[in-house]
Amino acid sequence: MSVSTSVTVRRLVAAALAAGTLVGSAAVSASAAEPRHERTHVAISRVQSDAPGFDDRSSRSLNAEWVEITNSTRRAVNLSGWTLSDRDGNRYTFRHYRLAGRSTVRVHTGYGRDTNRDLYQDRRNEVWDNRSDTATLKNDHRRFVDSVSWGRHHDRDDNRGHGDNRGHGDNRGHGDNRGHGDDRGHGRR
């Protein structure tokens, strides 16, 4: 091989390496500039669909029916525009609410004064079906975040409804340890 051929080969190799470095750094810069879509760690943590006592549509009864939403991260999450809905299409939209890091908010069905820990849907009728229903949480872009189902019509693979530490039938969720799905009737559906 002549001297000029080896210089040409070295120049081509150097040019190829330089081009590879430029392409690699451009790819890193482009990926760093793209917004990261971090998964929120906001979920439905507990549900009390059957208020203890009679469902008489009183303020006490309506406010004893609730869904808890928990933020498990250290950062606050803006829930403005997020929705909480049931299987029948009843929907509550969060307005101007920021859920602090590592905290929980309880969304009551009835009337009350909103605080950092308690929000009120201001409804005069029950929302959550005592025997079977699904609570669904969606973000402000209408994307699914979480859901909890209970009763006879829910997906059997989703055990997060009644009977475990997130729903009814335990000492934290329902409060009376009766569970759901019984035929005693609770004044609703």
Side-chain angles (χ1 to χ4, degrees):
M1 195 184 285
S2 72
V3 175
S4 68
T5 305
S6 76
V7 170
T8 304
V9 169
R10 276 189 255 156
R11 284 183 183 163
L12 286 173
V13 169
L17 288 174
T21 302
L22 286 174
V23 170
S25 68
V28 169
S29 297
S31 66
E34 292 176 10
R36 289 188 176 176
H37 296 290
E38 295 180 16
R39 181 176 172 217
T40 63
H41 294 282
V42 174
I44 298 171
S45 51
R46 288 173 45 194
V47 173
Q48 180 163 288
S49 65
D50 185 10
F54 294 103
D55 289 339
D56 59 4
R57 296 185 182 153
S58 68
S59 179
R60 181 178 183 182
S61 175
L62 291 171
N63 287 331
E65 179 181 276
W66 45 257
V67 175
E68 287 185 345
I69 310 294
T70 299
N71 176 5
S72 61
T73 67
R74 284 187 265 169
R75 292 181 178 172
V77 176
N78 184 0
L79 297 185
S80 296
W82 288 41
T83 59
L84 180 63
S85 60
D86 72 346
R87 189 182 307 136
D88 292 333
N90 294 304
R91 182 174 310 159
Y92 170 73
T93 301
F94 292 83
R95 303 262 184 240
H96 311 292
Y97 183 76
R98 209 167 172 76
L99 182 57
R102 294 194 173 137
S103 64
T104 298
V105 65
R106 185 175 280 185
V107 182
H108 301 271
T109 298
Y111 282 86
R113 197 183 105 208
D114 291 344
T115 67
N116 287 339
R117 294 180 185 221
D118 293 283
L119 297 174
Y120 297 85
Q121 296 187 43
D122 297 334
R123 294 183 184 271
R124 297 191 188 281
N125 295 309
E126 294 87 358
V127 171
W128 309 108
D129 191 324
N130 294 344
R131 292 194 179 115
S132 80
D133 208 341
T134 300
T136 301
L137 181 65
K138 291 186 179 182
N139 69 17
D140 56 337
H141 298 290
R142 297 184 183 184
R143 291 190 183 123
F144 175 85
V145 174
D146 192 24
S147 72
V148 173
S149 296
W150 59 92
R152 61 191 135 108
H153 295 296
H154 77 278
D155 182 1
R156 297 186 189 266
D157 293 335
D158 181 8
N159 315 350
R160 296 176 302 154
H162 297 336
D164 68 8
N165 63 358
R166 287 185 55 179
H168 292 294
D170 65 318
N171 292 330
R172 296 182 318 148
H174 195 286
D176 64 4
N177 210 18
R178 287 184 299 173
H180 287 287
D182 57 39
D183 291 323
R184 289 183 277 177
H186 294 286
R188 289 189 56 221
R189 296 188 214 189

